[in-house]
Amino acid sequence: MPGKVTIVMYHYVRDLKRSRYPRIKGLDSADFAGQLEYVLKHYQPVRMEDVLSAMAGGADLPERPVLLTFDDGYAEHFDVVFPLLDRYGIQGSFFPPASAVLDGKVLDVNKIHFVLASEPDAALLVSTMERRVQELSREYELPSVASLRERYSQPHRYDTAEVAYLKRVLQRGLPLDARTRVVDELFARFVSQDEAAFAAELYVSLEQLRCMVRHGMFVGSHSYDHLWLDSLPPDEQERQVVRSLEFLEQVGVDGDRWVMCYPYGGYDESLLEVLGRHGCAAGLTTEVALADLGRPLELARIDTNDLPKSADAPANEWTAAA
Ligand SMILES: [Zn+2]
């Protein structure tokens, strides 16, 4: 009988105070180590392969199973996360977008994070963005600033309304061409003019991923370009999946039992159909809940912020529910 698994989602894990971007929203390395101790005290870490077997009707999972997942292919996943997991004998599941590793480009999502980390004045960023939207509306068919504000300006779980508005407009509020231009301009002005050097520092390399796989870590698909897949037509969804599978082959991943992690948590019926045709074994969402193994392509996750960061902390409500 399929049960529940606690799947924890991580993004940046770095020594924030000593990093060049202390304002980046990430988990501090020391807190990560503390959270691993908490996890080891209260849960039993399982491997992705065990979860896939359990969903396919194989062996049962242990009590209070937990799976740790790391999105976006950051260099610190190799430098900070991998050595700690290896020391504790825990498997991590890593989901790097192929373009981040192969193409020397910084993903739009990361450009936006580093723009926000570099310029504390969110109002300045918003006004810069809105001015460019107005200027670009001479070249592109764009929504008005008033309609963007109305549609996208609400606070999010971890963001103020201003920051959430900027992120949403730049992630999906504008057509791809226009938003790429605005994001690139903000990145060049507030962060760096050398995108290739920035990407080389930010992301894990192909060789590092191969090393992690050789040492028992799991690597899955996070698509090729890290777009909202539910905003793409079916043929482009398929292209994103196929190209990411070619990338996973280069990494040395077993193509028979592969796992998809939806960028931004975005998926729809046609994507699920594409995944089914390509033999995808599981899909990870950003829905905040314990994962229900009866819904393999819609596995929910909790965020690292939902769990304590020290072994001494009392068990919280997520742990009690596990
Ligand atoms: Zn992502």
Side-chain angles (χ1 to χ4, degrees):
M1 190 64 192
K4 303 266 183 194
V5 176
T6 302
I7 306 181
V8 190
M9 172 173 67
Y10 295 89
H11 289 92
Y12 301 104
V13 182
R14 44 176 66 190
D15 187 354
L16 288 166
K17 286 185 278 306
R18 277 184 286 272
S19 84
R20 206 148 27 111
Y21 299 94
R23 295 181 63 252
I24 201 84
K25 287 226 174 133
L27 178 63
D28 195 77
S29 309
D31 288 338
F32 177 62
Q35 187 160 85
L36 281 185
E37 287 173 16
Y38 176 90
V39 162
L40 284 167
K41 184 169 166 186
H42 295 282
Y43 295 88
Q44 304 205 55
V46 291
R47 298 167 57 80
M48 180 65 87
E49 293 83 350
D50 302 332
V51 175
L52 298 181
S53 294
M55 288 193 299
D60 286 343
L61 293 173
E63 295 280 290
R64 318 174 69 72
V66 68
L67 187 72
L68 307 184
T69 65
F70 301 84
D71 290 14
D72 299 342
Y74 301 120
E76 62 249 40
H77 294 171
F78 180 81
D79 298 332
V80 177
V81 171
F82 170 45
L84 266 178
L85 293 182
D86 189 58
R87 184 192 305 166
Y88 287 120
I90 301 174
Q91 185 197 54
S93 293
F94 297 86
F95 297 94
S99 73
V101 179
L102 300 178
D103 297 341
K105 296 234 174 66
V106 178
L107 301 174
D108 280 6
V109 61
N110 295 135
K111 284 182 180 156
I112 298 166
H113 292 157
F114 284 95
V115 165
L116 287 164
S118 300
E119 176 49 66
D121 184 355
L124 169 66
L125 295 173
V126 165
S127 66
T128 307
M129 173 183 80
E130 289 183 339
R131 197 172 55 246
R132 285 303 285 146
V133 169
Q134 277 161 346
E135 286 163 5
L136 288 172
S137 63
R138 285 183 228 122
E139 291 173 57
Y140 301 91
E141 190 76 33
L142 300 183
S144 70
V145 164
S147 73
L148 288 172
R149 278 188 197 168
E150 189 181 321
R151 175 137 185 231
Y152 295 112
S153 188
Q154 311 89 29
H156 172 262
R157 205 160 170 236
Y158 301 119
D159 290 324
T160 63
E162 225 165 22
V163 168
Y165 167 58
L166 184 106
K167 283 186 180 173
R168 289 187 185 119
V169 170
L170 296 178
Q171 283 169 5
R172 62 189 315 181
L174 303 172
L176 184 62
D177 289 358
R179 79 173 182 253
T180 303
R181 275 181 64 180
V182 178
V183 170
D184 285 351
E185 286 163 11
L186 291 173
F187 184 77
R189 171 166 164 195
F190 292 101
V191 186
S192 168
Q193 310 234 4
D194 189 346
E195 183 173 342
F198 199 89
E201 239 178 80
L202 182 59
Y203 300 117
V204 72
S205 70
L206 187 59
E207 202 39 65
Q208 289 171 332
L209 287 171
R210 286 180 179 144
C211 173
M212 290 158 82
V213 168
R214 284 197 300 272
H215 287 81
M217 299 291 134
F218 186 90
V219 177
S221 169
H222 202 31
S223 82
Y224 195 92
D225 288 311
H226 203 275
L227 304 170
W228 290 77
L229 295 178
D230 54 338
S231 72
L232 301 179
D235 59 328
E236 183 55 27
Q237 290 179 333
E238 175 131 29
R239 218 172 80 88
Q240 288 288 327
V241 168
V242 169
R243 292 179 75 209
S244 77
L245 290 178
E246 289 164 3
F247 165 66
L248 290 183
E249 200 179 324
Q250 289 186 61
V251 173
V253 168
D254 173 7
D256 287 339
R257 304 181 91 196
W258 67 280
V259 175
M260 181 82 199
C261 175
Y262 309 114
Y264 310 103
Y267 66 95
D268 59 11
E269 281 305 316
S270 80
L271 179 64
L272 295 182
E273 189 272 321
V274 170
L275 295 179
R277 262 191 296 113
H278 288 278
C280 178
L284 300 175
T285 72
T286 53
E287 184 202 341
V288 183
L290 300 183
D292 175 355
L293 296 185
R295 292 163 60 208
L297 291 180
E298 298 176 288
L299 298 176
R301 297 187 284 177
I302 62 171
D303 190 86
T304 170
N305 290 313
D306 293 319
L307 288 183
K309 298 177 180 78
S310 148
D312 302 331
N316 76 358
E317 66 276 14
W318 287 108
T319 303

